[in-house]
């Protein structure tokens, strides 16, 4: 406990989190399937995926609340697979606050310190510091029922930080909050991490925008498997499979044929017989059929006629959303979504538009499921 006297931002050993072929089964049903993932010390990694994909299970395995049926979990160079939860030096925040209702804010924050036998002096120092860190210093004497949802969640974060964890696990911490508060809390979480740069954070969410805003690296889960992992930008710009393309952001995926390499990662493919240029970031083999992934905002309206990567599409629907106009267009029997600035008159349904995309903005994705 001696190290606690150096305050919240004092030195804590930087520790990454390692999953090595970790599987978890409930009653014989595998819900986490051989997860391998290395989270670097001081990084924020987001695990995203639909409900039931195994995100919470992965987090609970790190916390020690579920025992893997196979594999190893490490924190720093410690193998914690068989270690009791309280011995793992982890802070955890879940979706529904879970503050102790009969305790004041300051007692909630002090709870983990008491449980670890911290001295009164340490508690006097740490509790206000943690509350300050989350902007809740003025609320120390309140009970949870006297706080808004966002405030309760700040206290839950302060409580998790009080024990000076090496690792902070967040399980959908913002999903019970309304959109505006969620955005403000995201900014604050980013700020918090800047003031505690040694803290390694594993952030579970089904909300891709939270992941993109906050995380250095993102892992995408599906049916208990990690189907994609990478830095947020490259995962968004060059998704490795259909599932990743559609889960992280919105994507148009056009079936294209007979890939031909041109130069570096530039490639030519054919869409309904028409040549299109794209980037082959994933090194798909020559001659193969694949999917061309183009994000709705990378489709542009084009005044001119015959340039590279020009397509013509029939307007199916137009929806105005303030600073963006969303359109659905039909091209050779395929529906594409397009998002553009709402300049001028909205095109009428049935009108034909010329579209264009920059080859550097589109990537080729293998066909088939992410499991294949
Ligand atoms: N305690 C449990 N007992 C049995 N099945 C569970 C238990 N917890 C989770 N599961 C199942 O494991 C799968 C993964 O759940 P979970 O990790 O909570 O997914 P996520 O957090 O991605 O929504 C789901 O099919 C869920 O029903
Ligand atoms: Mg969950």
């Amino acid at each position: 406990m001696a190290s606690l006297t150096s305050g919240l931002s004092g030195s804590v050993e930087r520790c990454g989190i390692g999953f090595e072929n970790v599987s978890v089964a409930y009653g014989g049903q595998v819900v986490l399937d051989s997860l391998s993932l290395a989270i670097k010390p001081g990084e924020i990694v987001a695990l995203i995926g639909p409900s039931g994909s195994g995100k919470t299970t992965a987090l609970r395995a790190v916390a020690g609340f579920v025992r893997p049926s196979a594999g190893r979990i490490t924190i720093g160079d410690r193998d914690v697979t068989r270690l009791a939860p309280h011995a793992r030096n982890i802070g955890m925040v879940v979706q529904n606050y879970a503050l102790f209702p009969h305790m004041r804010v300051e007692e909630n924050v002090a709870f983990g310190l008491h449980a670890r036998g911290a001295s009164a002096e340490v508690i006097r120092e740490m509790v206000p510091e943690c509350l300050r860190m989350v902007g809740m210093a003025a609320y120390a004497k309140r009970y949870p029922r006297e706080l808004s949802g966002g405030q309760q969640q700040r206290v839950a974060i302060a409580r998790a930080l009080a024990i000076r964890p090496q690792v902070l696990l967040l399980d959908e911490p913002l999903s019970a909050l309304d959109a505006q508060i969620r955005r403000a809390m995201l900014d604050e979480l980013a700020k918090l991490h800047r003031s505690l740069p040694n803290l390694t954070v594993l952030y579970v969410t089904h909300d891709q925008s939270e992941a993109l805003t906050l995380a250095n690296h993102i892992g995408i889960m599906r049916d208990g498997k990690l189907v994609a992992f990478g830095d947020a930008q490259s995962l968004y710009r060059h998704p490795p499979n259909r599932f990743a393309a559609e889960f992280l952001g919105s994507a148009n995926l056009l079936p294209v044929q007979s890939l031909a390499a041109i130069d570096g990662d530039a490639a030519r493919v054919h869409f309904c017989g028409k040549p299109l240029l794209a980037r082959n970031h994933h090194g798909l083999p020559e001659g193969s059929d694949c999917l061309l992934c183009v994000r709705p905002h990378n489709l542009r309206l084009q005044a001119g006629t015959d340039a590279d990567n020009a397509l013509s599409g029939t307007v199916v629907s137009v929806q105005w959303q303030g600073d963006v106009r969303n359109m659905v267009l039909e091209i050779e029997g395929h529906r594409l979504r397009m998002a553009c600035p709402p300049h001028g008159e909205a095109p009428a349904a049935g009108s034909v538009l010329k579209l264009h995309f920059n080859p550097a903005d589109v990537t080729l994705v293998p066909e088939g499921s992410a499991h294949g």
Side-chain angles (χ1 to χ4, degrees):
M1 239 35 293
S3 65
L4 282 173
T5 54
S6 56
L8 194 55
S9 48
S11 75
V12 173
E13 190 194 347
R14 284 163 63 95
C15 286
I17 305 170
F19 291 85
E20 297 170 20
N21 298 308
V22 175
S23 292
V24 173
Y26 290 115
Q29 199 204 340
V30 175
V31 300
L32 195 64
D33 192 355
S34 205
L35 174 64
S36 291
L37 179 64
I39 301 173
K40 294 204 190 84
E43 243 192 0
I44 304 182
V45 166
L47 269 189
I48 65 172
S51 172
S53 56
K55 307 179 298 293
T56 293
T57 303
L59 205 77
R60 289 173 61 83
V62 178
F65 300 133
V66 291
R67 175 69 62 91
S69 51
R72 244 163 61 95
I73 295 172
T74 55
I75 295 178
D77 47 22
R78 285 187 304 160
D79 180 341
V80 301
T81 320
R82 317 227 151 260
L83 215 57
H86 65 82
R88 296 188 184 199
N89 205 20
I90 275 170
M92 187 158 171
V93 177
V94 297
Q95 179 180 332
N96 46 359
Y97 327 131
L99 296 176
F100 303 115
H102 59 289
M103 289 185 188
R104 293 178 192 276
V105 162
E106 61 185 6
E107 293 161 336
N108 264 282
V109 176
F111 183 81
L113 293 170
H114 279 301
R116 280 149 203 255
S119 69
E121 182 197 348
V122 166
I123 291 173
R124 263 199 309 278
E125 181 193 4
M126 288 301 288
V127 171
E129 189 179 349
C130 292
L131 285 174
R132 235 185 345 265
M133 204 111 201
V134 298
M136 288 296 289
Y139 298 80
K141 300 290 179 199
R142 296 235 190 143
Y143 285 96
R145 62 172 180 275
E146 298 167 330
L147 303 176
S148 72
Q151 291 170 334
Q152 288 184 49
Q153 209 53 329
R154 285 164 205 262
V155 175
I157 293 167
R159 185 176 63 176
L161 293 175
I163 60 159
R164 300 187 76 217
Q166 294 159 320
V167 163
L168 181 63
L169 305 176
L170 300 165
D171 191 356
E172 313 245 9
L174 309 183
S175 34
L177 308 175
D178 62 43
Q180 206 180 344
I181 294 175
R182 214 180 308 150
R183 270 194 299 277
M185 288 283 286
L186 270 180
D187 289 345
E188 291 198 26
L189 279 172
K191 207 168 87 192
L192 183 76
H193 190 250
R194 284 196 293 277
S195 36
L196 297 173
N198 289 342
L199 188 65
T200 307
V201 179
L202 181 53
Y203 188 98
V204 158
T205 178
H206 65 274
D207 183 317
Q208 40 137 329
S209 67
E210 287 179 15
L212 286 168
T213 308
L214 208 57
N216 310 107
H217 284 86
I218 297 177
I220 304 181
M221 303 281 301
R222 181 192 194 185
D223 298 339
K225 290 193 175 78
L226 184 73
V227 295
F229 183 75
D231 72 86
Q233 276 226 22
S234 9
L235 209 54
Y236 178 79
R237 298 185 57 169
H238 330 132
N241 51 54
R242 174 193 277 273
F243 189 79
E246 290 181 326
F247 198 82
L248 195 64
S250 155
N252 296 299
L253 293 160
L254 295 177
V256 292
Q257 290 80 38
S258 44
L259 190 160
I262 298 176
D263 184 24
D265 63 3
R268 181 187 305 108
V269 289
H270 285 83
F271 172 63
C272 298
K274 181 181 166 38
L276 297 175
L277 301 176
R279 291 282 189 270
N280 185 12
H281 293 105
H282 299 294
L284 305 181
E286 292 247 6
S288 63
D289 298 346
C290 54
L291 301 167
L292 182 138
C293 172
V294 53
R295 302 283 182 190
H297 65 270
N298 286 329
L299 281 172
R300 306 261 154 77
L301 289 173
Q302 188 199 5
T305 43
D306 250 23
D308 278 345
N309 289 348
L311 296 166
S312 45
T314 308
V315 177
V316 175
S317 65
V318 182
Q319 188 196 46
W320 176 68
Q321 252 188 12
D323 47 10
V324 65
R325 178 182 290 153
N326 292 308
M327 292 195 278
V328 176
L329 297 144
E330 190 168 301
I331 303 178
E332 309 281 359
H334 297 273
R335 296 255 163 131
L336 274 79
R337 277 165 297 164
M338 177 177 183
C340 51
H343 302 317
E345 280 285 295
S351 55
V352 175
L353 301 179
K354 289 272 181 207
L355 309 178
H356 164 85
F357 60 84
N358 183 338
D361 292 335
V362 295
T363 191
L364 298 171
V365 172
E367 271 186 328
S369 82
H371 292 176

